[in-house]
Amino acid sequence: MICWNNLDTLKSYQALSAKNEKPDLTKVMAGEEGAQRARTYTVPMAAGLSYNYAAKQVNEDILSGLAALAEEAQLVEKYEALLSGEVINTGEKRLVLHQLTRGQLKGTVTADGVDKRAFYVAQQEKIAEFAAKVHAGEITNAKGEKFTTVVQIGIGGSDLGPRAMFLALENWAKKNGCFKMEARFISNVDPDDAAAVLNGIDVSRTIFVLVSKSGTTLETLTNESFVKDALAKAGLDAAHHMIAVTSETSPLAKSSDYLAAFFMDDYIGGRYSSTSAVGGAVLSLAFGADVFARFLTGAAEEDALSLEKDIRKNPAMLDALIGVYERNVLGYDATAVLPYSQALSRFPAHLQQLDMESNGKSVNRDGEPVSYPTGPVIFGEPGTNGQHSFYQLLHQGTDIIPLQFVGFRASQIGTDVVIQGSTSQQKLCANVAAQIMAFACGKQDDNRNKHFEGGRPSSIIIGDMLTPEALGALLAHFENKVMFQGFVWNLNSFDQEGVQLGKVLAKRVLAHETDGALKVFSDLLGI
Amino acid sequence: MICWNNLDTLKSYQALSAKNEKPDLTKVMAGEEGAQRARTYTVPMAAGLSYNYAAKQVNEDILSGLAALAEEAQLVEKYEALLSGEVINTGEKRLVLHQLTRGQLKGTVTADGVDKRAFYVAQQEKIAEFAAKVHAGEITNAKGEKFTTVVQIGIGGSDLGPRAMFLALENWAKKNGCFKMEARFISNVDPDDAAAVLNGIDVSRTIFVLVSKSGTTLETLTNESFVKDALAKAGLDAAHHMIAVTSETSPLAKSSDYLAAFFMDDYIGGRYSSTSAVGGAVLSLAFGADVFARFLTGAAEEDALSLEKDIRKNPAMLDALIGVYERNVLGYDATAVLPYSQALSRFPAHLQQLDMESNGKSVNRDGEPVSYPTGPVIFGEPGTNGQHSFYQLLHQGTDIIPLQFVGFRASQIGTDVVIQGSTSQQKLCANVAAQIMAFACGKQDDNRNKHFEGGRPSSIIIGDMLTPEALGALLAHFENKVMFQGFVWNLNSFDQEGVQLGKVLAKRVLAHETDGALKVFSDLLGI
């Protein structure tokens, strides 16, 4: 029997709060104790990754408290319920099935009279078949020329995730001979976004992927028209250049405007859709369906790990719990995501959406206000770039910001130079190792301006190389972390009512049905 | 006589704190009062921009308090002292002269026996001459072919600012016939960054701009070697493909390794260097020196406005003071920067560096610890994209995050479509107007999940179009805002000691001179 309770009603949380312990990282991360922590405070992940939390402000006592919280909050049971097809999205009364796009962990899930796993697999296969025909030159433009570019038209979850995943694997694919087509993305309703992308490609050799679950997203439909205009001006038939990714019930699903339509459904939120047809179409076209399948494999393995009840064997759950401890007990308001990998340049932006849109809520899953902080601000940029930028505040600012590092032993392309006795890759890795210790231990200096207080917590996910499997595992880790945190905070992490009001008011502005300050701003903006 | 005092010692601040007023935005932004605020709470900026703070949690009383704070903290006097060449960078005992790169507001500034304004103008002219020769085909590669691409090699301030400015004007320049060369950027020590950029260009037609003030930045020198390797492999002489932007005293300054060297100096911090030779070389090559000069003109006009003592006529100072009120009196920890302009896609990342590296400090300009919060976390993405992402938390999360919108009446490219009776540009502008009101006023709903509390403050900078002048004004506005906030907090906003410790430890890792946890992490990362 699963109980859904607010965090502050849980005995284990009250006990954790009452203790309010904060291990001094400048001590516990120093000397042999620090070495011991670095060796032992680590959890294996899928695809050869590991999650190391040695530099977090936890100790055996706090970890026991977090284990008790995991048990009392029934985190794994709730995840099992989700996997089994319970209505976890209480606001919209929907199942939550994004994990099912990459594997089936808890038996058949049926919805709308359909075996949903079979449905997702069928979509993936349809996409694979379509992509293979495009790559083989069986599906071409009207002149019989091969398509060379794919452009995704979508916004929010239909954009950030797939874009971040494309960038993450672009160079890996080029290096490994599986780069099939260039990919571009149009998202913003700013007309300069679409215009610039269209100016930079050969539209006659381009397939556009229109992504909208509902088929009604204003930005996406507007950009579709923008693209159709461009195709028409180039004397091309849009129906031969566009595919749709949408729900079966959307107006786009049965339209003859598209070469093909691939389906998602209401059980997959936009920000969780990278492993569905939303990511599948563009990534399979760009890299081939095999690469996309490998990405799903990594995610599925990580999903399986998230079923572990022992928090020290369940990296996503442990990461989630430590995050809750930082947010609710220690009072930290933001988290920085810092991948030491240029390929992950847009991964922080994707996590920003994933986390802030899922858990940036003030009411619990029953719609009652909660009286504790929920989702933090998430931001980040790749290292080492960030080191020469906002790390100043992270090291010496007045607030403590927990840090989430990611690092890989090997680069993707493998081209490197030795300067001053080390490769660039070694320098990259040396920097992330150094940062963990600099943040944790600081450095005493009589000149207070050069003094580093330390005591700034971080974790790191380490892997061999950013492969499709590693990327899938990384993505699933953060998706599941966010899910577990939502469970702890007793939120519905799968709706987004907070994005509605702006849409309603924007329509009113466009209809000139405004007064007061809204009318003044509309006038000032020339509408 | 200028007095440098900590914020909490100022009577005007104590008075503001004691009042701790927070106007209810759901009331003051409604109806005719809201319309009146939207019309009157606005300050003209340079280049036709305006700063509107109607939706900030201020009223006449608070504004009077902020004016008293500006006076007691001698903000304009301190800015005048900076412009006059006083040693404002107390940590490094240096003048602060970035404003002098775009105009001279307070008479001649002499340093190192040189008229610094004349020095900066001379560099700008040398760059203009060089760029004109490249564009005219007078400076070519060894085969006599014109250069088509410029690649900036730099990190931190030598990367983020120039990159953000290039992206901001790229489409404008293409539209207006002044796009001269493609620009690319290599920054990260991750070897995949340089390798991917090099794989995507024709190196034989490329000029590389090596940017390092000291000539010792490890990432930049490493990437220089990376590039030289690639040039050598292509049978090209690096000395014919590289220019340097550095200080006159750096090892790069007199090297025959470069086609030309352009100079900056120690009085311009990296994050303030977009208007110096650091931005000048790459932007003049990409767009022509005239466009760069127009960018400086916009910045210079904004700098002049920052001399106004009346806070209602000094947009940067007013913005700064409201930010301090939000941070220190109302207790908000982060600020989101949300440009409704795809061209400003990397502008938030630049501001993140500018602000967090300048004011993320815990000691005052005399090196004594301060006991109040200083610089907030800065993050952001362009709208409308962000609306479909992290805005959920901004609207309905448990923390209040002040917002900084930017919007333009017209797009840069001018290609647009009418869908449902409005252009994309109108939709873009309607959305930002709608968001201001949604955040301020919220919406009552009995379903708490659809309830918007409101009371979430924002400001907006509005302009006609993102032109070079508007971009210069926008940049100078934020630079000067950060400067004024540094003055209020009594910080030295112009050094960055917080980036040093990581560098030292990274060197130790690369020299294998580590023990304890640092050795374990080094091993885990395969170094």
Side-chain angles (χ1 to χ4, degrees):
Chain A
M1 165 75 187
I2 291 179
C3 301
W4 300 93
N5 292 312
N6 281 3
L7 175 61
D8 52 1
T9 67
L10 302 181
K11 289 210 161 49
S12 54
Y13 173 71
Q14 291 159 1
L16 267 172
S17 275
K19 279 194 222 161
N20 193 8
E21 274 186 273
K22 190 162 78 175
D24 183 348
L25 290 175
T26 65
K27 299 209 171 99
V28 300
M29 283 300 285
E32 186 43 41
E33 183 180 358
Q36 189 61 20
R37 279 176 73 99
R39 277 190 291 265
T40 55
Y41 275 15
T42 179
V43 186
M45 296 169 58
L49 303 176
S50 63
Y51 169 71
N52 191 302
Y53 57 101
K56 283 290 190 186
Q57 288 165 319
V58 295
N59 56 25
E60 291 301 310
D61 192 38
I62 294 167
L63 289 168
S64 299
L66 293 176
L69 176 56
E71 201 179 328
E72 188 180 2
Q74 300 175 295
L75 298 189
V76 172
E77 290 85 344
K78 287 171 183 170
Y79 175 41
E80 288 173 333
L82 180 150
L83 293 174
S84 305
E86 283 196 26
V87 176
I88 298 294
N89 179 348
T90 45
E92 299 172 312
K93 304 200 171 30
R94 290 175 182 169
L95 288 60
V96 174
L97 300 182
H98 54 274
Q99 283 104 341
L100 202 61
T101 59
R102 48 230 195 190
Q104 180 166 289
L105 289 164
K106 282 278 149 189
T108 307
V109 177
T110 306
D112 312 327
V114 174
D115 174 340
K116 294 308 297 187
R117 173 67 187 156
F119 170 76
Y120 298 134
V121 170
Q123 296 309 312
Q124 196 190 330
E125 286 169 355
K126 266 175 63 186
I127 289 169
E129 203 181 315
F130 179 85
K133 285 186 183 165
V134 170
H135 299 151
E138 292 169 37
I139 295 174
T140 63
N141 72 7
K143 286 192 192 163
E145 296 165 325
K146 280 178 84 163
F147 289 112
T148 57
T149 304
V150 50
V151 175
Q152 176 109 328
I153 307 171
I155 195 164
S158 305
D159 169 59
L160 284 168
R163 190 194 293 249
M165 302 308 133
F166 171 75
L167 293 173
L169 295 178
E170 180 182 11
N171 291 315
W172 177 89
K174 284 179 179 165
K175 175 71 182 178
N176 290 281
C178 41
F179 190 78
K180 310 287 186 187
M181 296 169 77
E182 288 290 341
R184 296 284 180 277
F185 297 83
I186 296 174
S187 53
N188 204 328
V189 77
D190 180 344
D192 286 345
D193 188 17
V197 170
L198 292 170
N199 287 344
I201 58 172
D202 177 355
V203 289
S204 75
R205 309 285 294 271
T206 300
I207 289 186
F208 295 89
V209 187
L210 184 76
V211 188
S212 172
K213 184 158 65 179
S214 64
T216 62
T217 312
L218 183 64
E219 280 91 339
T220 302
L221 295 184
T222 301
N223 280 323
E224 181 192 21
S225 296
F226 207 105
V227 166
K228 282 186 170 168
D229 257 28
L231 288 165
K233 277 181 194 148
L236 299 163
D237 179 357
H240 285 96
H241 285 265
M242 283 199 156
I243 62 177
V245 176
T246 187
S247 70
E248 287 179 292
T249 55
S250 114
L252 313 179
K254 306 233 152 36
S255 166
S256 60
D257 291 353
Y258 307 102
L259 261 175
F262 306 108
F263 301 124
M264 59 188 305
D265 60 33
D266 282 343
Y267 312 124
I268 297 177
R271 57 194 175 275
Y272 296 94
S273 67
S274 291
T275 54
S276 77
V278 172
V282 62
L283 297 174
S284 297
L285 284 165
F287 306 136
D290 289 352
V291 171
F292 184 67
R294 289 176 57 182
F295 168 62
L296 298 191
T297 300
E301 280 177 31
E302 195 64 30
D303 288 339
L305 277 180
S306 294
L307 281 166
E308 266 291 343
K309 290 213 168 181
D310 181 347
I311 64 168
R312 302 205 195 200
K313 292 180 181 166
N314 185 329
M317 190 164 75
L318 180 58
D319 196 356
L321 288 160
I322 294 173
V324 168
Y325 191 75
E326 290 174 333
R327 178 78 166 130
N328 298 91
V329 179
L330 302 179
Y332 305 148
D333 301 324
T335 297
V337 181
L338 308 165
Y340 277 61
S341 161
Q342 190 63 26
L344 292 176
S345 60
R346 292 301 284 165
F347 196 72
H350 173 60
L351 291 193
Q352 186 174 62
Q353 165 174 53
L354 176 66
D355 203 318
M356 293 173 72
E357 193 173 13
S358 294
N359 291 337
K361 313 228 164 118
S362 303
V363 298
N364 69 13
R365 67 198 300 279
D366 302 317
E368 297 153 356
V370 298
S371 50
Y372 42 81
T374 60
V377 166
I378 305 286
F379 69 100
E381 292 284 335
T384 58
N385 292 2
Q387 289 179 203
H388 293 259
S389 164
F390 56 86
Y391 276 39
Q392 164 65 41
L393 182 145
L394 303 181
H395 278 291
Q396 294 189 317
T398 50
D399 292 355
I400 290 182
I401 318 283
L403 312 170
Q404 179 95 52
F405 292 110
V406 179
F408 300 95
R409 295 175 197 98
S411 68
Q412 290 182 316
I413 302 177
T415 308
D416 211 330
V417 286
V418 174
I419 306 292
Q420 297 175 10
S422 58
T423 63
S424 288
Q425 184 63 27
Q426 286 169 325
K427 290 184 184 76
L428 182 70
C429 287
N431 271 281
V432 68
Q435 289 295 334
I436 294 170
M437 294 306 289
F439 280 114
C441 295
K443 180 177 77 76
Q444 297 291 317
D445 199 308
D446 289 341
N447 179 344
R448 293 290 305 189
N449 197 28
K450 296 176 190 291
H451 176 81
F452 291 76
E453 200 68 39
R456 298 180 182 233
S458 68
S459 61
I460 181 167
I461 292 173
I462 298 175
D464 281 323
M465 188 195 286
L466 184 57
T467 59
E469 289 85 354
L471 182 66
L474 203 59
L475 177 73
H477 173 85
F478 286 104
E479 287 183 358
N480 295 346
K481 172 188 174 178
V482 167
M483 170 191 74
F484 284 128
Q485 290 192 328
F487 291 157
V488 176
W489 286 320
N490 204 29
L491 305 176
N492 174 11
S493 303
F494 305 101
D495 66 354
Q496 53 283 322
E497 292 295 343
V499 309
Q500 296 304 328
L501 177 57
K503 289 187 198 174
V504 172
L505 294 183
K507 276 192 187 162
R508 218 173 283 167
V509 173
L510 291 170
H512 298 284
E513 292 166 359
T514 58
D515 55 12
L518 187 51
K519 175 149 188 5
V520 178
F521 283 119
S522 303
D523 291 344
L524 287 172
L525 283 151
I527 308 157
Chain B
M1 166 78 186
I2 291 178
C3 302
W4 299 92
N5 293 311
N6 281 3
L7 175 62
D8 52 2
T9 66
L10 303 182
K11 289 212 163 49
S12 53
Y13 174 71
Q14 291 160 359
L16 267 172
S17 277
K19 277 194 225 164
N20 194 8
E21 274 185 274
K22 189 162 78 174
D24 182 348
L25 288 176
T26 66
K27 299 212 172 96
V28 300
M29 282 302 284
E32 185 44 38
E33 183 179 357
Q36 187 62 18
R37 278 176 75 99
R39 277 190 291 264
T40 55
Y41 275 15
T42 180
V43 186
M45 295 169 59
L49 303 176
S50 62
Y51 169 71
N52 190 303
Y53 58 101
K56 284 291 190 185
Q57 287 164 320
V58 294
N59 56 25
E60 291 301 312
D61 192 38
I62 295 167
L63 289 168
S64 300
L66 293 176
L69 177 56
E71 200 179 330
E72 189 180 0
Q74 300 175 294
L75 299 188
V76 171
E77 289 86 344
K78 287 171 183 170
Y79 176 41
E80 287 172 335
L82 181 150
L83 293 174
S84 305
E86 283 196 26
V87 176
I88 297 294
N89 178 348
T90 45
E92 298 172 312
K93 302 200 173 30
R94 290 175 181 167
L95 286 62
V96 174
L97 300 183
H98 54 275
Q99 283 104 340
L100 202 61
T101 59
R102 49 232 195 190
Q104 180 167 293
L105 288 164
K106 281 279 149 188
T108 307
V109 177
T110 306
D112 312 327
V114 173
D115 174 339
K116 295 308 297 189
R117 173 67 188 156
F119 171 77
Y120 297 134
V121 170
Q123 296 309 312
Q124 195 191 330
E125 285 170 355
K126 266 174 63 186
I127 290 170
E129 202 180 316
F130 180 85
K133 285 185 182 165
V134 171
H135 299 152
E138 293 168 34
I139 296 174
T140 64
N141 71 7
K143 286 193 193 162
E145 295 166 326
K146 279 178 86 164
F147 289 111
T148 57
T149 304
V150 51
V151 175
Q152 176 108 327
I153 307 172
I155 196 165
S158 304
D159 170 57
L160 284 168
R163 191 193 293 249
M165 302 309 132
F166 171 75
L167 292 173
L169 295 179
E170 180 181 10
N171 291 316
W172 177 89
K174 284 180 178 163
K175 175 71 182 178
N176 291 280
C178 41
F179 191 78
K180 311 286 187 186
M181 296 168 78
E182 287 291 341
R184 296 284 181 278
F185 296 82
I186 296 175
S187 53
N188 205 327
V189 77
D190 180 344
D192 286 344
D193 188 19
V197 170
L198 292 171
N199 287 343
I201 59 172
D202 177 355
V203 290
S204 75
R205 309 285 294 270
T206 299
I207 289 186
F208 296 89
V209 187
L210 183 76
V211 187
S212 172
K213 184 158 63 181
S214 64
T216 62
T217 311
L218 184 64
E219 280 92 341
T220 301
L221 294 185
T222 301
N223 280 323
E224 181 191 19
S225 296
F226 207 105
V227 166
K228 282 185 170 170
D229 257 27
L231 288 165
K233 277 181 194 148
L236 299 164
D237 180 357
H240 285 95
H241 286 264
M242 283 199 156
I243 62 176
V245 175
T246 188
S247 70
E248 286 179 293
T249 55
S250 116
L252 312 179
K254 306 237 151 40
S255 166
S256 59
D257 292 354
Y258 307 102
L259 262 176
F262 305 108
F263 301 125
M264 59 189 304
D265 60 35
D266 282 344
Y267 312 123
I268 298 176
R271 57 193 175 276
Y272 296 94
S273 67
S274 291
T275 53
S276 78
V278 172
V282 62
L283 297 175
S284 297
L285 284 165
F287 306 136
D290 289 351
V291 171
F292 183 67
R294 289 177 57 183
F295 168 62
L296 297 192
T297 300
E301 281 177 30
E302 195 64 30
D303 289 339
L305 277 181
S306 294
L307 281 166
E308 264 293 341
K309 289 213 169 181
D310 181 345
I311 63 168
R312 302 204 195 200
K313 292 180 180 167
N314 185 330
M317 189 163 77
L318 180 59
D319 196 356
L321 288 161
I322 294 173
V324 167
Y325 191 76
E326 290 174 333
R327 179 78 165 130
N328 299 89
V329 180
L330 302 179
Y332 304 149
D333 301 324
T335 297
V337 181
L338 309 164
Y340 276 62
S341 161
Q342 190 63 25
L344 292 176
S345 61
R346 292 301 284 166
F347 196 73
H350 174 60
L351 291 193
Q352 186 174 61
Q353 164 175 52
L354 176 67
D355 202 320
M356 293 174 71
E357 193 172 14
S358 295
N359 290 337
K361 313 228 164 116
S362 303
V363 297
N364 69 14
R365 67 198 300 277
D366 302 316
E368 297 153 356
V370 297
S371 51
Y372 42 81
T374 60
V377 165
I378 304 287
F379 69 100
E381 292 285 336
T384 58
N385 293 2
Q387 289 178 203
H388 294 260
S389 167
F390 57 85
Y391 276 39
Q392 164 66 40
L393 183 145
L394 303 181
H395 278 290
Q396 293 189 317
T398 49
D399 293 355
I400 289 181
I401 318 283
L403 313 169
Q404 179 95 52
F405 292 110
V406 179
F408 299 96
R409 294 176 197 99
S411 67
Q412 289 182 317
I413 302 177
T415 308
D416 211 328
V417 285
V418 174
I419 306 291
Q420 297 174 12
S422 58
T423 63
S424 288
Q425 184 62 28
Q426 286 170 325
K427 291 184 184 74
L428 182 69
C429 288
N431 271 281
V432 68
Q435 290 295 334
I436 294 171
M437 294 306 290
F439 281 114
C441 294
K443 179 177 77 77
Q444 297 292 317
D445 199 307
D446 289 342
N447 178 343
R448 291 290 303 188
N449 197 27
K450 296 176 191 289
H451 176 81
F452 291 76
E453 199 68 37
R456 298 179 182 234
S458 68
S459 62
I460 181 167
I461 292 173
I462 298 175
D464 280 324
M465 187 194 288
L466 184 58
T467 59
E469 289 85 354
L471 182 66
L474 203 59
L475 178 73
H477 172 86
F478 286 104
E479 287 184 358
N480 294 346
K481 172 188 174 177
V482 166
M483 170 190 74
F484 283 126
Q485 290 192 330
F487 290 157
V488 175
W489 286 319
N490 203 29
L491 306 176
N492 174 10
S493 304
F494 305 102
D495 66 355
Q496 54 282 324
E497 292 294 343
V499 309
Q500 296 303 328
L501 178 56
K503 288 188 198 175
V504 172
L505 294 181
K507 277 192 184 159
R508 218 174 281 168
V509 173
L510 290 169
H512 298 284
E513 292 167 358
T514 57
D515 56 11
L518 187 51
K519 177 155 189 357
V520 178
F521 283 120
S522 303
D523 291 345
L524 288 173
L525 284 152
I527 306 157

